[in-house]
Amino acid sequence: MFDNSILLIKAKGLPDRPGVYIMKDNNEIIIYIGKSKKLRNRVSSYFYNLKDRSTKIENLVTNVTDFEYVLCDV
């Protein structure tokens, strides 16, 4: 299992702007693509230890080892 605290630190460094984020597993295969008006807030929210996460999100976060992002205009 990958230590998601590293990803939380990386996510907190994202710009607070609109964009698309691409989550990858340990084989660098894309497992999720999302969009957000505020990348920093949205991507960081995946890596906090929340008790009330859905099973879908829990499974996603368990398999994410890296992410990329692309900034977009509104």
Side-chain angles (χ1 to χ4, degrees):
M1 178 181 253
F2 187 78
D3 181 7
N4 286 333
S5 62
I6 295 167
L7 294 175
L8 177 59
I9 293 168
K10 182 177 176 180
K12 286 183 176 182
L14 291 174
D16 203 16
R17 294 186 43 206
V20 174
Y21 54 96
I22 304 151
M23 296 193 173
K24 298 180 178 184
D25 68 8
N26 61 345
N27 294 316
E28 296 190 24
I29 294 172
I30 296 171
I31 57 174
Y32 188 76
I33 297 174
K35 62 181 179 171
S36 177
K37 290 182 181 180
K38 294 186 177 187
L39 280 172
R40 181 184 316 135
N41 294 351
R42 182 66 186 120
V43 177
S44 295
S45 73
Y46 284 103
F47 304 111
Y48 285 107
N49 289 328
L50 300 176
K51 294 183 256 181
D52 300 325
R53 281 200 271 211
S54 70
T55 304
K56 174 186 165 186
I57 299 300
E58 189 63 38
N59 288 336
L60 173 68
V61 171
T62 300
N63 291 300
V64 172
T65 58
D66 197 13
F67 63 85
E68 298 175 3
Y69 69 95
V70 178
L71 295 177
C72 302
D73 290 331
V74 177

XYZ file of all heavy atoms in Angstrom:
606
model
N 0.845 -1.196 0.000
C 0.000 0.000 0.000
C 0.880 1.246 0.000
O 1.876 1.325 0.691
C -0.916 -0.009 1.215
C -1.784 1.216 1.311
S -2.841 1.214 2.753
C -4.378 0.896 1.951
N 0.507 2.228 -0.765
C 1.243 3.473 -0.931
C 0.870 4.451 0.189
O -0.273 4.498 0.630
C 0.908 4.070 -2.305
C 1.734 5.264 -2.659
C 3.033 5.110 -3.093
C 1.205 6.532 -2.574
C 3.799 6.214 -3.433
C 1.968 7.642 -2.911
C 3.263 7.475 -3.335
N 1.832 5.239 0.645
C 1.600 6.232 1.691
C 0.987 7.488 1.066
O 1.671 8.248 0.388
C 2.919 6.563 2.384
C 2.759 7.578 3.493
O 1.609 7.943 3.822
O 3.783 7.997 4.046
N -0.304 7.688 1.289
C -1.005 8.813 0.674
C -0.647 10.165 1.269
O -1.036 11.187 0.722
C -2.518 8.595 0.741
C -2.977 7.553 -0.246
O -2.346 7.357 -1.270
N -4.053 6.881 0.061
N 0.092 10.203 2.369
C 0.485 11.495 2.939
C 1.407 12.250 1.968
O 1.390 13.476 1.924
C 1.155 11.317 4.303
O 2.341 10.565 4.187
N 2.164 11.524 1.182
C 3.017 12.155 0.167
C 2.152 12.830 -0.889
O 2.435 13.946 -1.322
C 3.942 11.105 -0.478
C 4.911 10.562 0.570
C 4.692 11.683 -1.671
C 5.650 9.324 0.139
N 1.073 12.165 -1.283
C 0.167 12.745 -2.276
C -0.587 13.944 -1.705
O -0.864 14.899 -2.429
C -0.810 11.689 -2.785
C -0.174 10.565 -3.588
C -1.211 9.509 -3.944
C 0.497 11.098 -4.837
N -0.900 13.915 -0.419
C -1.560 15.060 0.211
C -0.650 16.280 0.166
O -1.090 17.378 -0.173
C -1.964 14.744 1.647
C -2.589 15.894 2.431
C -3.845 16.408 1.745
C -2.899 15.456 3.854
N 0.617 16.097 0.454
C 1.579 17.203 0.392
C 1.668 17.748 -1.032
O 1.646 18.957 -1.251
C 2.961 16.748 0.904
C 2.882 16.449 2.401
C 4.027 17.798 0.603
C 4.084 15.717 2.950
N 1.726 16.847 -2.012
C 1.776 17.266 -3.417
C 0.498 18.015 -3.800
O 0.549 19.039 -4.479
C 1.964 16.042 -4.312
C 2.076 16.356 -5.780
C 2.325 15.102 -6.604
C 2.338 15.435 -8.091
N 2.585 14.239 -8.919
N -0.646 17.518 -3.336
C -1.931 18.145 -3.661
C -2.047 19.538 -3.056
O -2.615 20.443 -3.669
C -3.078 17.260 -3.185
N -1.510 19.717 -1.869
C -1.568 21.040 -1.230
C -0.738 22.072 -1.982
O -0.932 23.270 -1.810
C -1.102 20.944 0.221
C -2.120 20.289 1.114
C -1.640 20.283 2.553
C -2.692 19.729 3.478
N -2.250 19.771 4.879
N 0.154 21.622 -2.850
C 0.966 22.524 -3.652
C 0.345 22.873 -4.994
O 0.925 23.640 -5.760
N -0.818 22.316 -5.275
C -1.487 22.613 -6.540
C -2.012 24.041 -6.557
O -2.328 24.606 -5.508
C -2.665 21.657 -6.758
C -2.331 20.204 -7.032
C -3.601 19.370 -7.075
C -1.570 20.069 -8.332
N -2.163 24.615 -7.739
C -2.753 25.953 -7.830
C -4.238 25.912 -7.470
O -4.897 24.889 -7.627
C -2.558 26.345 -9.294
C -2.161 25.126 -10.017
C -1.738 24.103 -9.038
N -4.721 27.018 -6.989
C -6.135 27.142 -6.611
C -6.905 27.685 -7.814
O -7.549 28.726 -7.733
C -6.259 28.063 -5.393
C -7.531 27.827 -4.623
O -8.168 26.778 -4.821
O -7.900 28.703 -3.826
N -6.801 26.948 -8.917
C -7.403 27.359 -10.185
C -8.156 26.190 -10.799
O -7.962 25.043 -10.399
C -6.297 27.798 -11.151
C -5.588 29.054 -10.677
C -4.590 29.593 -11.678
N -5.104 29.569 -13.038
C -4.310 29.500 -14.106
N -3.009 29.455 -13.983
N -4.835 29.488 -15.316
N -8.977 26.439 -11.813
C -9.695 25.354 -12.481
C -8.752 24.449 -13.258
O -7.716 24.893 -13.773
C -10.632 26.072 -13.452
C -10.606 27.502 -13.101
C -9.367 27.761 -12.326
N -9.121 23.178 -13.334
C -8.306 22.256 -14.103
C -8.840 20.843 -14.085
O -9.895 20.558 -13.521
N -8.069 19.970 -14.697
C -8.380 18.550 -14.780
C -7.264 17.811 -14.057
O -6.088 18.142 -14.214
C -8.442 18.107 -16.264
C -8.631 16.608 -16.378
C -9.538 18.856 -16.991
N -7.631 16.807 -13.261
C -6.629 16.002 -12.585
C -6.733 14.558 -13.056
O -7.803 14.051 -13.345
C -6.742 16.106 -11.062
C -8.105 15.792 -10.499
C -8.405 14.527 -10.014
C -9.106 16.764 -10.446
C -9.658 14.247 -9.486
C -10.351 16.493 -9.925
C -10.615 15.228 -9.441
O -11.858 14.941 -8.933
N -5.574 13.920 -13.167
C -5.470 12.573 -13.712
C -4.766 11.711 -12.670
O -3.594 11.932 -12.377
C -4.667 12.595 -15.025
C -5.313 13.569 -16.010
C -4.534 11.199 -15.612
C -4.360 14.187 -16.976
N -5.487 10.739 -12.127
C -4.930 9.870 -11.095
C -4.456 8.565 -11.723
O -5.142 7.995 -12.571
C -5.956 9.617 -10.021
C -6.336 10.873 -9.293
S -7.251 10.511 -7.815
C -7.337 12.137 -7.110
N -3.277 8.100 -11.274
C -2.656 6.905 -11.841
C -2.329 5.892 -10.752
O -2.098 6.266 -9.595
C -1.373 7.286 -12.577
C -1.600 8.216 -13.741
C -0.307 8.546 -14.429
C -0.549 9.433 -15.634
N 0.698 9.668 -16.364
N -2.258 4.623 -11.153
C -1.880 3.576 -10.206
C -0.380 3.331 -10.287
O 0.343 4.047 -10.984
C -2.696 2.300 -10.444
C -2.381 1.603 -11.758
O -1.426 1.991 -12.466
O -3.106 0.639 -12.085
N 0.100 2.290 -9.600
C 1.548 2.048 -9.544
C 2.138 1.597 -10.883
O 3.347 1.600 -11.053
C 1.893 1.052 -8.443
C 1.253 -0.296 -8.663
O 0.343 -0.434 -9.472
N 1.705 -1.288 -7.929
N 1.302 1.234 -11.852
C 1.771 0.902 -13.198
C 1.638 2.092 -14.146
O 1.759 1.924 -15.359
C 0.988 -0.289 -13.755
C 1.256 -1.550 -12.974
O 2.395 -1.849 -12.639
N 0.204 -2.281 -12.660
N 1.336 3.257 -13.591
C 1.131 4.500 -14.332
C -0.059 4.421 -15.282
O -0.125 5.132 -16.290
C 2.404 4.923 -15.063
C 3.540 5.251 -14.114
C 4.719 5.892 -14.803
O 4.536 6.501 -15.877
O 5.823 5.796 -14.263
N -1.011 3.571 -14.953
C -2.255 3.466 -15.718
C -3.249 4.461 -15.132
O -3.400 4.549 -13.904
C -2.817 2.030 -15.649
C -1.856 1.080 -16.363
C -4.212 1.951 -16.269
C -2.197 -0.376 -16.213
N -3.905 5.209 -15.993
C -4.904 6.179 -15.543
C -6.094 5.425 -14.967
O -6.677 4.568 -15.637
C -5.348 7.092 -16.698
C -4.165 7.933 -17.180
C -6.513 7.977 -16.264
C -4.443 8.703 -18.457
N -6.444 5.745 -13.720
C -7.584 5.086 -13.092
C -8.731 6.055 -12.816
O -9.837 5.622 -12.509
C -7.181 4.335 -11.803
C -6.516 5.258 -10.796
C -6.260 3.171 -12.150
C -6.216 4.606 -9.454
N -8.462 7.352 -12.930
C -9.537 8.320 -12.726
C -9.132 9.660 -13.318
O -7.977 10.080 -13.201
C -9.826 8.498 -11.231
C -11.050 9.332 -10.958
C -12.323 8.795 -11.118
C -10.937 10.654 -10.564
C -13.454 9.559 -10.876
C -12.059 11.428 -10.319
C -13.318 10.874 -10.468
O -14.433 11.634 -10.232
N -10.100 10.328 -13.937
C -9.915 11.688 -14.435
C -11.068 12.514 -13.884
O -12.223 12.108 -13.969
C -9.922 11.743 -15.976
C -8.758 10.934 -16.537
C -9.848 13.189 -16.460
C -8.764 10.800 -18.042
N -10.731 13.650 -13.286
C -11.763 14.518 -12.738
C -11.484 15.959 -13.094
O -10.406 16.304 -13.583
N -12.465 16.809 -12.836
C -12.300 18.239 -13.093
C -12.733 19.000 -11.852
O -13.501 18.499 -11.031
C -13.116 18.675 -14.308
C -14.597 18.481 -14.126
C -15.365 18.900 -15.345
C -16.846 18.641 -15.087
N -17.707 19.185 -16.075
N -12.215 20.200 -11.731
C -12.520 20.989 -10.549
C -12.326 22.473 -10.826
O -11.481 22.849 -11.631
C -11.596 20.559 -9.404
O -11.824 21.352 -8.274
N -13.087 23.286 -10.119
C -12.899 24.735 -10.203
C -11.717 25.182 -9.366
O -11.116 26.219 -9.622
C -14.158 25.460 -9.739
C -15.314 25.308 -10.697
C -16.515 26.086 -10.227
C -17.675 25.914 -11.188
N -18.859 26.655 -10.751
N -11.386 24.405 -8.329
C -10.238 24.687 -7.465
C -9.474 23.385 -7.249
O -9.809 22.594 -6.369
C -10.687 25.266 -6.128
C -11.317 26.629 -6.250
C -11.610 27.213 -4.894
C -12.175 28.620 -5.049
N -12.318 29.265 -3.745
N -8.450 23.170 -8.072
C -7.703 21.915 -8.033
C -7.182 21.577 -6.646
O -7.298 20.443 -6.194
C -6.524 21.983 -9.005
C -6.846 21.730 -10.461
C -5.624 22.021 -11.317
C -7.316 20.310 -10.680
N -6.569 22.532 -5.984
C -5.959 22.266 -4.679
C -6.978 21.673 -3.708
O -6.720 20.653 -3.065
C -5.355 23.535 -4.085
C -4.696 23.290 -2.737
C -4.157 24.563 -2.081
N -3.458 25.400 -3.023
C -3.633 26.724 -3.111
N -4.460 27.348 -2.313
N -2.969 27.432 -3.992
N -8.139 22.298 -3.612
C -9.152 21.828 -2.664
C -9.666 20.445 -3.027
O -9.806 19.575 -2.175
C -10.325 22.802 -2.608
C -9.942 24.142 -2.038
O -8.850 24.320 -1.521
N -10.828 25.105 -2.145
N -9.979 20.247 -4.296
C -10.595 18.986 -4.721
C -9.644 17.814 -4.582
O -9.982 16.784 -4.018
C -11.084 19.095 -6.171
C -11.754 17.850 -6.645
C -13.046 17.664 -5.850
N -13.645 16.406 -6.195
C -13.881 15.438 -5.311
N -13.570 15.602 -4.054
N -14.427 14.326 -5.690
N -8.430 17.941 -5.100
C -7.490 16.827 -5.074
C -7.053 16.536 -3.634
O -6.958 15.373 -3.234
C -6.287 17.090 -6.003
C -5.277 15.971 -5.908
C -6.758 17.248 -7.450
N -6.831 17.568 -2.841
C -6.462 17.348 -1.430
C -7.529 16.580 -0.679
O -7.216 15.766 0.196
C -6.225 18.689 -0.722
O -5.126 19.354 -1.264
N -8.784 16.801 -1.018
C -9.880 16.153 -0.285
C -9.829 14.630 -0.382
O -10.317 13.934 0.504
C -11.233 16.662 -0.784
O -11.537 16.147 -2.064
N -9.209 14.091 -1.404
C -9.104 12.641 -1.546
C -8.174 12.025 -0.505
O -8.329 10.865 -0.148
C -8.569 12.268 -2.930
C -9.561 12.387 -4.033
C -9.523 13.468 -4.912
C -10.543 11.425 -4.233
C -10.432 13.587 -5.954
C -11.466 11.531 -5.261
C -11.395 12.610 -6.111
O -12.300 12.721 -7.138
N -7.199 12.774 -0.041
C -6.125 12.191 0.755
C -6.201 12.475 2.245
O -5.313 12.095 2.998
C -4.778 12.621 0.179
C -4.660 12.262 -1.276
C -4.642 13.234 -2.252
C -4.637 10.938 -1.666
C -4.562 12.908 -3.594
C -4.564 10.586 -3.005
C -4.523 11.577 -3.965
N -7.256 13.135 2.694
C -7.488 13.279 4.128
C -8.111 11.998 4.639
O -8.843 11.313 3.924
C -8.427 14.457 4.418
C -7.768 15.800 4.275
C -8.058 16.616 3.188
C -6.867 16.251 5.222
C -7.455 17.855 3.050
C -6.256 17.482 5.086
C -6.556 18.276 3.998
O -5.955 19.489 3.868
N -7.854 11.644 5.891
C -8.450 10.454 6.485
C -9.860 10.766 6.951
O -10.091 11.128 8.089
C -7.611 9.959 7.670
C -6.305 9.358 7.219
O -6.237 8.789 6.144
N -5.279 9.468 8.023
N -10.794 10.602 6.064
C -12.192 10.855 6.387
C -12.892 9.536 6.675
O -12.735 8.571 5.937
C -12.891 11.587 5.239
C -12.305 12.945 4.878
C -13.028 13.512 3.668
C -12.427 13.901 6.041
N -13.679 9.514 7.740
C -14.392 8.293 8.102
C -15.555 8.010 7.167
O -15.908 6.864 6.956
C -14.930 8.402 9.532
C -13.860 8.456 10.585
C -14.483 8.486 11.948
C -14.395 9.901 12.481
N -14.935 10.061 13.797
N -16.141 9.026 6.611
C -17.374 8.870 5.847
C -17.162 8.800 4.334
O -18.041 9.155 3.574
C -18.329 10.029 6.176
C -18.688 10.061 7.639
O -18.798 8.980 8.241
O -18.859 11.171 8.181
N -16.003 8.322 3.913
C -15.749 8.180 2.475
C -16.576 7.022 1.923
O -16.750 5.999 2.584
C -14.293 7.867 2.204
C -13.395 9.048 2.275
C -12.124 8.762 1.544
N -11.134 8.157 2.419
C -9.832 8.331 2.281
N -9.371 9.061 1.316
N -9.001 7.765 3.099
N -17.021 7.189 0.692
C -17.750 6.094 0.046
C -16.762 4.976 -0.296
O -15.549 5.188 -0.377
C -18.439 6.595 -1.220
O -17.472 6.891 -2.209
N -17.306 3.800 -0.537
C -16.474 2.659 -0.924
C -15.750 2.943 -2.228
O -14.578 2.590 -2.390
C -17.343 1.396 -1.068
O -18.034 1.181 0.158
C -16.511 0.183 -1.392
N -16.423 3.617 -3.132
C -15.821 3.971 -4.426
C -14.571 4.826 -4.231
O -13.517 4.554 -4.813
C -16.846 4.710 -5.285
C -16.306 5.248 -6.586
C -17.353 6.076 -7.298
C -16.743 6.916 -8.385
N -17.688 7.828 -9.005
N -14.692 5.859 -3.414
C -13.557 6.765 -3.170
C -12.454 6.038 -2.397
O -11.269 6.206 -2.691
C -14.011 8.038 -2.425
C -15.032 8.810 -3.262
C -12.824 8.920 -2.072
C -14.532 9.273 -4.605
N -12.828 5.228 -1.439
C -11.838 4.466 -0.663
C -11.028 3.553 -1.581
O -9.802 3.484 -1.473
C -12.534 3.656 0.422
C -11.575 3.021 1.391
C -10.760 4.017 2.195
O -11.305 5.067 2.584
O -9.563 3.746 2.425
N -11.697 2.868 -2.495
C -10.991 1.995 -3.445
C -10.085 2.799 -4.370
O -8.972 2.377 -4.671
C -11.989 1.180 -4.273
C -12.653 0.102 -3.463
O -12.124 -0.359 -2.463
N -13.835 -0.301 -3.891
N -10.552 3.937 -4.817
C -9.749 4.798 -5.675
C -8.478 5.243 -4.952
O -7.368 5.068 -5.454
C -10.558 6.026 -6.117
C -9.784 7.098 -6.879
C -9.364 6.588 -8.247
C -10.605 8.358 -7.000
N -8.646 5.789 -3.772
C -7.514 6.328 -3.013
C -6.510 5.228 -2.658
O -5.304 5.459 -2.660
C -8.019 7.062 -1.747
C -6.877 7.446 -0.837
C -8.812 8.289 -2.146
N -7.000 4.041 -2.414
C -6.119 2.916 -2.097
C -5.189 2.592 -3.265
O -4.066 2.148 -3.056
C -6.958 1.675 -1.744
O -7.766 1.987 -0.619
C -6.090 0.487 -1.405
N -5.641 2.829 -4.485
C -4.861 2.463 -5.668
C -4.087 3.607 -6.304
O -3.264 3.368 -7.186
C -5.791 1.836 -6.711
C -6.290 0.494 -6.257
O -5.510 -0.412 -6.015
N -7.595 0.357 -6.102
N -4.316 4.836 -5.888
C -3.617 5.984 -6.475
C -2.191 6.055 -5.930
O -1.974 5.989 -4.722
C -4.355 7.311 -6.156
C -3.524 8.504 -6.602
C -5.703 7.335 -6.807
N -1.221 6.195 -6.843
C 0.168 6.390 -6.423
C 0.756 7.690 -6.956
O 1.825 8.103 -6.530
C 1.062 5.216 -6.869
O 0.994 5.087 -8.281
C 0.631 3.929 -6.196
N 0.054 8.332 -7.887
C 0.513 9.613 -8.411
C -0.639 10.286 -9.148
O -1.649 9.648 -9.461
C 1.681 9.420 -9.380
C 2.471 10.704 -9.629
O 2.284 11.691 -8.870
O 3.276 10.722 -10.574
N -0.489 11.573 -9.397
C -1.473 12.298 -10.196
C -0.784 13.408 -10.958
O 0.298 13.857 -10.601
C -2.616 12.854 -9.330
C -2.183 13.861 -8.309
C -2.054 15.201 -8.641
C -1.912 13.478 -7.003
C -1.642 16.136 -7.703
C -1.495 14.400 -6.057
C -1.374 15.733 -6.402
N -1.434 13.808 -12.033
C -0.999 14.932 -12.840
C -2.180 15.880 -12.958
O -3.313 15.527 -12.621
C -0.602 14.463 -14.246
C 0.559 13.502 -14.258
C 0.847 12.956 -15.651
O 0.170 13.365 -16.622
O 1.739 12.115 -15.763
N -1.926 17.069 -13.467
C -3.019 18.014 -13.665
C -2.760 18.898 -14.866
O -1.606 19.039 -15.317
C -3.251 18.864 -12.419
C -2.143 19.838 -12.127
C -2.209 21.148 -12.571
C -1.018 19.458 -11.391
C -1.190 22.046 -12.310
C 0.000 20.345 -11.126
C -0.088 21.638 -11.582
O 0.924 22.527 -11.325
N -3.828 19.440 -15.397
C -3.775 20.384 -16.508
C -4.667 21.560 -16.128
O -5.839 21.371 -15.785
C -4.293 19.740 -17.812
C -4.284 20.751 -18.951
C -3.506 18.500 -18.170
N -4.118 22.767 -16.159
C -4.915 23.952 -15.864
C -5.806 24.296 -17.043
O -5.425 24.075 -18.202
C -3.997 25.140 -15.548
C -3.154 25.010 -14.282
C -2.248 26.224 -14.137
C -4.020 24.841 -13.057
N -6.973 24.823 -16.750
C -7.946 25.175 -17.781
C -8.483 26.579 -17.523
O -8.461 27.059 -16.397
C -9.125 24.207 -17.770
S -8.672 22.501 -18.002
N -9.007 27.187 -18.550
C -9.731 28.448 -18.392
C -11.146 28.132 -17.969
O -11.685 27.078 -18.258
C -9.751 29.231 -19.703
C -8.381 29.763 -20.056
O -7.579 30.033 -19.145
O -8.101 29.882 -21.263
N -11.778 29.089 -17.308
C -13.157 28.897 -16.868
C -14.086 28.930 -18.036
O -13.955 29.582 -18.980
C -13.553 29.974 -15.830
C -14.996 29.819 -15.428
C -12.630 29.891 -14.645
